[in-house]
Amino acid sequence: MTAPNVARVNGIDLAYESSGAGPLVVMVMGTGSPGRVWKAHQQPNLVKAGYRVVVFDNRGIAPSSECAEGFTIDDMVADTAALIEHLDDGPAVVIGTSLGGRV
């Protein structure tokens, strides 16, 4: 992601990027992949369709906090919910892939 914003949530930093305007869509990637993966196809098409799309790097994916001590899916759920609250633009449609789909 280029020039990401940073949200301080749950004691960590989450790097995120927001594009477009309209109803909020938050896209959650699975572990091991950065949020920019969504920018290949899904994010541009959703922006064109009139949505505000937020992609972010989960904890453990730079430039978000490393979290070397590990984390759980409950942490990922809490991070996603806290990011939506930070954005102050909910409710949000949440889309995920792989482990992000479990969030």
Side-chain angles (χ1 to χ4, degrees), residues 25-75:
V25 175
V26 175
M27 305 189 86
V28 186
M29 186 51 62
T31 55
S33 295
R36 71 176 175 268
V37 172
W38 292 112
K39 294 174 68 177
H41 301 286
Q42 296 87 351
Q43 181 258 15
N45 287 320
L46 286 166
V47 168
K48 285 179 191 173
Y51 293 93
R52 176 184 179 201
V53 179
V54 172
V55 299
F56 69 99
D57 294 319
N58 286 308
R59 57 173 68 212
I61 305 294
S64 291
S65 293
E66 183 177 322
C67 299
E69 68 280 0
F71 56 92
T72 67
I73 190 165
D74 289 338
D75 294 324

Side-chain angles (χ1 to χ4, degrees), residues 4-20:
N5 297 297
V6 176
R8 183 80 178 161
V9 298
N10 301 326
I12 64 160
D13 291 331
L14 284 184
Y16 71 94
E17 183 178 321
S18 178
S19 303

